[in-house]
């Protein structure tokens, strides 16, 4: 099948972080626009300068190799924050009758 393009750790880390961003997007903008934060962060991550310091490593966490502490902690923080925001607030625009 050829060489592995992305390892399991990389896929799990990035998926968890993007899920947290989607949950934050749903809590902030509603379910219909939950996609905006993951797409925006991905676009920004592609154009930041090389990740040589902490702010640029946080901005480019999606592209950093597995085992990079800054990328792992950024993904974990986004996952926890997004999950908590969605659990507490739910999707914006939801009406309870």
């Amino acid at each position: 099948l050829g060489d592995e393009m992305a390892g399991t750790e990389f896929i799990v880390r990035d998926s968890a972080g993007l899920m947290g961003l989607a949950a934050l997007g749903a809590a902030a903008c509603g379910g219909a626009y939950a996609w905006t934060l993951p797409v925006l962060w991905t676009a920004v991550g592609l154009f930041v300068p090389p990740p040589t310091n902490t702010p640029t490593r946080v901005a480019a966490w999606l592209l950093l190799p597995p085992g990079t502490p800054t990328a792992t902690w950024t993904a974990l923080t986004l996952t926890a924050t997004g999950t908590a925001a969605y659990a507490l607030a739910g999707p914006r625009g939801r009406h309870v009758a």
Side-chain angles (χ1 to χ4, degrees), residues 3-94:
D3 292 334
E4 188 176 74
M5 292 184 68
T8 303
E9 181 184 350
F10 182 80
I11 293 170
V12 169
R13 181 197 71 196
D14 286 4
S15 297
L18 289 171
M19 184 268 317
L21 281 170
L24 278 171
C29 305
Y33 299 104
W35 58 270
T36 56
L37 287 180
V39 170
L40 179 64
W41 199 310
T42 302
V44 168
L46 293 172
F47 294 102
V48 295
T52 56
N53 56 27
T54 301
T56 56
R57 281 193 292 271
V58 168
W61 68 273
L62 279 164
L63 304 173
L64 295 176
T68 306
T70 305
T72 303
W73 282 106
T74 301
L76 287 172
T77 301
L78 290 171
T79 302
T81 304
T83 302
Y86 190 82
L88 294 173
R92 184 171 174 219
R94 190 177 89 192

